[in-house]
Amino acid sequence: MSATTPGAPRRSARTRSAPPPAAPWPSTPLDAVQRAFDLLVCPPAPLSFDGRHVDGLPDRDLPLDELKLLLLDDATSRAVRDQVWRELVLRARRDGPAWVIAAAGLALPGLRRAAGRLSIGWHGDSSDRDGELLLGFVHRLGTLDLEHGRIAGKLIDAGARAARQAQARCAEAEAVKARVTRSMPPQQPWDHPDWVLARAVSEAVISPEECLLIAETRLDRIELPVIAERLGVSVEVASAWRRKAEHRLAAAIHAGELEWVSLAATSAIG
């Protein structure tokens, strides 16, 4: 029988293990959003959304990870999704960074799909592309008109436009650099369709919605009725809208309005 010293603390037979080391912070923008979103929904006080204010949601506080599943569920109507997204945008504007992260995290499936489409023809760092995508999304959070529907889709479209515009700027810079270093024929605007559309939007030849309509139906081969439904218009209206936008785009290209190297840039190097 072993003796113990009176008053000495008893040692536990089980050795307490050290906590596991924290995982490194993700190096890519979209993965970083996912990690930040995961931290927002961690117990003991996960960020939650009050479902009592939206008809069609459970009548209680909803942790954001549960809300995300509901928004992705085909059974959730478009009207419910838009009502939720109106509140999310208002919270992001009013309550600051946590709700901005919440909005980006809830939109992450759509943002990842957009990043996948943008990867075609993107020759730079994918992190740069995803960073521009997120910047465009976050900027649009502060400016989007909430009176109309398809709020999440418009936010994601804004991110995609920002990434395409960044891609166009890089291509323009490369064209200028090439003109400086050696003699070559001028870079034509039809070398890459995405860049042409991005330039057309930046020059106000077509609107962002017209850019989406042309890109999705002509480049991504998505059926016109699908895009018409996303835009909330009839197929006939979408077809006429696209036709007029394409006429303006063709005229701008023919007139040289979408050249990669501007006349000012050309004269500066000449």
Side-chain angles (χ1 to χ4, degrees):
M1 182 174 179
S2 62
T4 59
T5 304
R10 291 181 68 89
R11 291 187 178 181
S12 170
R14 181 179 299 172
T15 303
R16 181 175 297 174
S17 60
W25 191 257
S27 59
T28 61
L30 295 183
D31 287 344
V33 169
Q34 182 64 64
R35 174 71 65 80
F37 182 82
D38 290 342
L39 292 174
L40 284 180
V41 301
C42 281
L47 198 63
S48 61
F49 182 93
D50 190 351
R52 290 178 284 269
H53 296 312
V54 179
D55 293 335
L57 290 184
D59 194 21
R60 56 183 173 81
D61 284 339
L62 299 168
L64 293 184
D65 51 349
E66 183 179 348
L67 178 64
K68 187 174 186 176
L69 294 176
L70 289 171
L71 291 175
L72 292 172
D73 192 337
D74 290 338
T76 302
S77 70
R78 178 179 297 179
V80 169
R81 290 192 183 99
D82 279 336
Q83 198 172 348
V84 169
W85 272 99
R86 283 189 187 94
E87 181 62 23
L88 288 169
V89 172
L90 290 173
R91 294 295 296 269
R93 293 174 182 176
R94 183 185 67 213
D95 298 335
W99 284 95
V100 173
I101 293 171
L106 290 167
L108 203 51
L111 288 169
R112 289 193 186 279
R113 285 194 297 272
R117 290 194 297 268
L118 289 164
S119 66
I120 301 172
W122 184 279
H123 302 299
D125 191 323
S126 62
S127 290
D128 293 340
R129 176 201 65 211
D130 295 350
E132 294 290 344
L133 179 66
L134 280 172
L135 283 173
F137 176 92
V138 171
H139 175 74
R140 195 65 172 136
L141 277 175
T143 62
L144 183 65
D145 182 358
L146 302 179
E147 291 298 319
H148 304 289
R150 198 178 157 268
I151 293 171
K154 289 176 181 176
L155 292 169
I156 293 167
D157 291 344
R161 286 194 300 273
R164 286 192 178 106
Q165 288 165 2
Q167 188 178 31
R169 289 193 298 271
C170 289
E172 184 170 6
E174 287 299 317
V176 172
K177 181 179 178 181
R179 291 287 299 275
V180 172
T181 56
R182 66 183 185 276
S183 176
M184 60 179 292
Q187 182 83 4
Q188 300 296 335
W190 47 84
D191 281 344
H192 195 293
D194 281 342
W195 298 340
V196 177
L197 291 175
R199 290 281 295 188
V201 172
S202 68
E203 296 295 325
V205 174
I206 60 175
S207 70
E209 289 76 15
E210 289 167 336
C211 175
L212 169 71
L213 181 59
I214 295 171
E216 296 286 293
T217 58
R218 298 301 195 195
L219 304 182
D220 295 338
R221 304 294 184 182
I222 299 176
E223 295 292 333
L224 184 60
V226 175
I227 304 304
E229 183 180 2
R230 285 176 58 187
L231 293 171
V233 299
S234 68
V235 175
E236 292 77 14
V237 169
S239 179
W241 190 8
R242 180 180 64 181
R243 184 171 58 254
K244 292 177 182 177
E246 288 175 338
H247 286 164
R248 293 197 306 276
L249 183 61
I253 292 173
H254 181 73
E257 296 175 10
L258 304 181
E259 292 286 349
W260 288 122
V261 183
S262 67
L263 292 175
T266 305
S267 60
I269 30 184

